[in-house]
Amino acid sequence: MEDQVDEIKRKTDIVGVIGSYVPLKKMGRHHKGLCPFHSEKTPSFMVNEEMGLYKCFGCGAGGDVIKFLMEIEGIDFREALERLAERAGVKLINRRRDENDERSKMLEVLDLAARYYHWLLMEGKVGAGAREYLAGRKINTKIMETFNLGFAMQSWDGLTNYLIKKKGYKEELLEKVGLVSRKSKGDGVYDKFRGRVMFPLQDAGGKVVGFTGRVLPALAKEDEPKYMNSPETSLYHKSRMLYGFYQAKKAVREKKRVVLVEGQMDCISSFTAGVTETVAVGGTALTEDQVEMMARLADKIYLSMDADEAGSVAIKRSIELAEKRGLSIKIVQLEGGKDPDEIARNSSDKWKDLVEKSVDVYEYIMNGAFKKYDVNKIEGVKKITEEVVPFLAKIENGVVREVWAKRLAERIGVATKGVMAEIDKKISGKQESTNKDDDLEKDVDDKRVVKLSRRLIGQLILRQEAVEMVAPWFTGVKIAGAEGKLISWLLENRENEPVEDLVQKIPEELREVAGESYMAEDSNEVPGQKEVEEAAVQLLREIIRDRKKELMVEMNEARKEKNSEKEDEIFSSLNELNKKESKVIAFLG
Ligand SMILES: [Zn+2]
């Protein structure tokens, strides 16, 4: 498998793949274009052929060609690999051939079933009632096409006749994909979906993996459920399905947000109203897999579900999953209809407006609590705090958490400190930093070191001679982090090989840093000795400064402990550093 991944990557022309989504222009050693993952007017998106990597210096997106396909198409690793394998003419061998064959047979028969249902809806005489029904719900022909809607006629053997008698498929195959059920008496199978408007369930790549059928009101029978889903199969997993994802992908990517609704009709009506970044969970609670799918393309989820008690449980769960994945949640407050379907059908503008006016989830939770309890009474304040604080405690980002704590404090009329104390109580196990200023300062220092390190890495990759220029400066110096490791590695292992070969040699875990650093160097010139040494020495100066700060702290501690031996030791280290620093300063002038 590992070998095959490498083989596929080697045989794939990354510029060609990415170039089919983003116009790329060769600039120096890289190809450059407008980033497809965030909106920008001047290109900061780079692709490098030798490294087999892309990187956006605007939004940070980056990786290899597999990652690109996953992110741009919203598909998983497996699917991305399969597509590239096909493109590169590589046969994936790790899946057994019969398994492969079965999977493609299943997809084939599901696709054919979808076409059959679709034809009945669009052209069939029996589809007239369904067409009328959908027209009544303001679903036009174009939308029917977009979502590949269909109609299953009121018959026990419409589909079976077509697929088995006419097309020659086996009963077992139809059973396996969940289109038919076995007769309880006698032999044979019968159509599972009858008298229903059919919504094909498509995976992120657009392949039909199952169906939802909504009973046509005129044909409804009392003992039949309004909605019926395909059973779970090896192709269709409820927890990994987002209805409409395939159709919404492009808009989701562009707007960086997903409007999440409950049912298929909500999804289609919202889409029809012009909110094309809509997907439906399809009646299940949101799962981690679904959040993962959305997170590949978006950074915000707009929840628009019933805001009743059941709804708020769903919201709680959604917040947890989203926070874990770094997505923010907004709540679309439903007005002017019972669900998004009704609101959007009544007025596209109203629906669009509600989506735009959606409130941040924490605002929403606060509003709910303030509506329920009286903020003018002590008891009310207590209840409000009890309800809201657990949510705020879950916010991962400390700054964001404090912003919301402040808002809550303002609304209650107390100092932020008090609310923060309550939140801290809730956050058990997490050690909060006591001195934020120190942390912040360290953070800024770290960033500078990373930046300087990466510049040097880029030069070491670009010019083999740079190794010799730099090596003397770094004897006995340790640099922290992945960048440090990579610099040490390059100083030891960089030979006179072309960049493509060097990349293959770099340890896997350091390749990303290597690629990003290399691509950050977009000047077309090979750096001269002066430039290289300057980059090295500037980095060295930062490292020495950091190390000195650390040693000072250690020295103070040793002094307090009256550990004179240790004190001496640190003192001599400091002396060494000072000597090195004078050299550095002399060099930099
Ligand atoms: Zn970008």
Side-chain angles (χ1 to χ4, degrees), residues 262-295:
E262 211 141 346
Q264 280 90 2
M265 279 306 213
D266 295 319
C267 179
I268 292 176
S269 294
S270 176
F271 189 100
T272 309
V275 185
T276 49
E277 67 275 29
T278 308
V279 303
V281 282
T284 55
L286 196 62
T287 67
E288 225 170 319
D289 286 332
Q290 289 167 331
V291 172
E292 180 60 38
M293 277 171 82
M294 293 186 273

Side-chain angles (χ1 to χ4, degrees), residues 35 38 56 59:
C35 177
H38 85 283
C56 171
C59 69

Side-chain angles (χ1 to χ4, degrees), residues 34-40 44-45 55-61:
L34 291 170
C35 177
F37 302 110
H38 85 283
S39 66
E40 59 176 9
S44 43
F45 180 81
K55 176 75 189 169
C56 171
F57 290 93
C59 69

